[in-house]
Amino acid sequence: EAGVTQFPSHSVIEKGQTVTLRCDPISGHDNLYWYRRVMGKEIKFLLHFVKESKQDESGMPNNRFLAERTGGTYSTLKVQPAELEDSGVYFCASSPTGGGRETQYFGPGTRLLVL
Amino acid sequence: EDQVTQSPEALRLQEGESSSLNCSYTVSGLRGLFWYRQDPGKGPEFLFTLYSAGEEKEKERLKATLTKKESFLHITAPKPEDSATYLCAVPGTASKLTFGTGTRLQVTL
């Protein structure tokens, strides 16, 4: 069974540019999560989709971040315009049915550097 | 707000030298505690879930235990391939995970 995949693995952009990150969850997983780790800090939650609906977006830092999950399959996270503090590693995770007791499986992450 | 604190930040062991990693947590109601392993340049890899105080889980040289305030990850006779960052996390009411900053483990020959 294929795991969670993310694209690109790395992205280097200049401040003010736009970047779109993509996540493909494990097939059949209705729940998709985005997390971020900035340098020296812990991994922090950004948002949670159940199928195509946003269940919880309390961790989104500001309105420069836009997440979508059309059709309830893959998800994109767009940062527009990017700022220096957006640099970090963005992880996607998925789980079958949701609920706090369920294991979330993580992708390899996208390393974003904003110059 | 849920909080997770891991110690030590870094740990260097010789091969075969057993030790324990600590994860202290503060949550409004424990729904479980997850341990992950993360290798450089990769995403967190699931190891264990513990759901209630007193529960223990084992996998090869790793054993995770849980009390009402903390969890321990015991590493018995570690090998160099056990070198990684070990993360613990607790789920909130809305499924989101709160992570600790991790313990970087290095096992040398």
Side-chain angles (χ1 to χ4, degrees):
Chain A
E1 179 181 274
V4 177
T5 58
Q6 294 186 243
F7 182 84
S9 59
H10 295 78
S11 181
V12 180
I13 61 173
E14 292 189 351
K15 176 182 173 180
Q17 289 186 321
T18 298
V19 63
T20 301
L21 314 180
R22 172 170 170 146
C23 168
D24 286 80
I26 293 172
S27 178
H29 282 195
D30 286 341
N31 292 268
L32 187 149
Y33 310 82
W34 283 98
Y35 292 84
R36 177 174 74 170
R37 184 169 196 165
V38 297
M39 184 72 74
K41 301 285 189 179
E42 69 274 22
I43 296 173
K44 285 195 173 179
F45 169 83
L46 295 177
L47 86 159
H48 171 204
F49 283 101
V50 177
K51 297 185 180 179
E52 66 274 10
S53 299
K54 292 176 185 175
Q55 185 76 11
D56 179 0
E57 47 184 331
S58 60
M60 295 288 264
N62 52 61
N63 60 9
R64 295 184 294 103
F65 289 74
L66 175 63
E68 295 180 324
R69 192 183 182 195
T70 307
T73 54
Y74 71 91
S75 174
T76 58
L77 179 64
K78 180 189 288 188
V79 184
Q80 179 183 31
E83 297 289 345
L84 300 180
E85 63 264 27
D86 300 331
S87 296
V89 184
Y90 290 77
F91 294 105
C92 175
S94 72
S95 68
T97 56
R101 297 166 67 89
E102 190 173 70
T103 300
Q104 296 179 25
Y105 297 92
F106 283 76
T110 293
R111 281 139 191 85
L112 174 64
L113 178 60
V114 182
L115 301 175
Chain B
E1 186 175 318
D2 296 344
Q3 289 188 331
V4 176
T5 303
Q6 291 189 245
S7 62
E9 286 187 15
L11 181 63
R12 186 183 174 110
L13 300 173
Q14 287 195 325
E15 185 175 13
E17 180 185 2
S18 301
S19 189
S20 296
L21 314 182
N22 177 264
C23 172
S24 299
Y25 61 88
T26 303
V27 296
S28 57
L30 184 64
R31 295 166 190 80
L33 185 141
F34 297 91
W35 281 99
Y36 287 86
R37 167 190 171 131
Q38 186 175 19
D39 292 294
K42 297 190 177 181
E45 176 188 347
F46 171 71
L47 291 174
F48 304 109
T49 310
L50 302 167
Y51 290 113
S52 58
E55 189 174 359
E56 298 182 352
K57 293 269 181 78
E58 284 190 70
K59 179 180 179 180
E60 296 181 356
R61 295 174 293 281
L62 300 177
K63 178 180 175 181
T65 62
L66 182 65
T67 72
K68 289 185 178 180
K69 294 183 178 181
E70 57 192 349
S71 177
F72 292 94
L73 185 65
H74 306 278
I75 304 176
T76 302
K79 297 183 178 181
E81 54 262 42
D82 295 321
S83 298
T85 295
Y86 291 85
L87 302 166
C88 71
V90 294
T93 54
S95 300
K96 64 183 181 182
L97 294 177
T98 297
F99 279 88
T101 51
T103 293
R104 294 188 312 277
L105 173 67
Q106 183 179 13
V107 182
T108 59
L109 292 171

